[in-house]
Amino acid sequence: MPETPEQYDLPEPKKSRPVVYLVDKPVETQPNLILHRIEILDSQNQVIGNISVLERKKSGKPGDFKRETVAMIKQIDLAEQFIGKGFGKAAYLELLKMLRDTPLVSASTNQDSNKIWESLVRDGLAEYDEPEGKQEVKRYVSKPEAIRRYFENEE
């Protein structure tokens, strides 16, 4: 049975998180595939980093991430003075808001991105996913309905 937004136990949106804005600049388009180069701006509209996101458009049956529309962060860079101060998570949240109904799936993660994904899992905005037949592979997947509700609560 699919979860309804009422079933999510979401945290209250944190008004204290840093303000960031995302500017999407698609750099490559192929059939069913878009590579986005997204600038991360601070509250003063200064570029503080960037995110490369690969978006694969739906081409098959539901429930199969190889065929559903999904987005994957290929790389995120943040200026050193903004690391560890909430700007990375703020950028992820803005990206999730921008993606709307498109799930974000972790591609490869490092220590910093794992912290952000773990925080999103704790907040009920993402979950662990083990691809079928690949129990040794764990990835994170955002929960678009929970994210919509999170941002509704913020407004």
Side-chain angles (χ1 to χ4, degrees):
M1 173 195 258
E3 293 178 277
T4 62
E6 293 77 34
Q7 291 175 299
Y8 297 119
D9 183 24
L10 297 178
E12 287 298 312
K14 295 182 177 122
K15 300 290 183 186
S16 62
R17 78 170 177 262
V19 174
V20 297
Y21 305 99
L22 302 184
V23 178
D24 187 7
K25 298 182 175 191
V27 294
E28 184 178 318
T29 303
Q30 299 175 9
N32 299 329
L33 197 63
I34 301 168
L35 180 61
H36 299 271
R37 179 108 171 130
I38 301 169
E39 289 182 339
I40 306 169
L41 308 177
D42 66 8
S43 60
Q44 307 298 311
N45 288 325
Q46 299 297 311
V47 176
I48 62 169
N50 60 68
I51 309 172
S52 295
V53 176
L54 186 62
E55 183 180 9
R56 190 173 47 223
K57 297 293 186 177
K58 186 175 185 169
S59 63
K61 65 182 179 180
D64 182 352
F65 284 125
K66 291 183 179 177
R67 293 180 173 80
E68 273 188 8
T69 299
V70 295
M72 293 165 276
I73 294 178
K74 301 304 278 181
Q75 182 174 347
I76 182 168
D77 293 309
L78 202 56
E80 190 171 328
Q81 66 267 33
F82 297 97
I83 295 173
K85 297 179 180 169
F87 285 89
K89 183 172 180 182
Y92 268 68
L93 287 168
E94 286 302 309
L95 177 61
L96 292 170
K97 184 162 79 171
M98 186 176 87
L99 291 170
R100 294 188 188 130
D101 294 328
T102 301
L104 182 64
V105 178
S106 61
S108 60
T109 57
N110 60 28
Q111 184 177 359
D112 292 329
S113 63
N114 275 333
K115 286 180 189 176
I116 294 170
W117 277 108
E118 290 291 333
S119 175
L120 294 171
V121 169
R122 281 191 306 275
D123 290 347
L125 302 175
E127 61 190 350
Y128 296 110
D129 176 61
E130 291 181 359
E132 193 173 320
K134 296 182 180 180
Q135 282 70 31
E136 72 282 355
V137 176
K138 280 202 172 196
R139 62 184 177 195
Y140 300 95
V141 181
S142 67
K143 297 162 76 173
E145 284 189 38
I147 292 158
R148 272 195 307 279
R149 185 162 179 222
Y150 177 85
F151 284 107
E152 285 171 5
N153 290 339
E154 190 175 61
E155 295 171 355

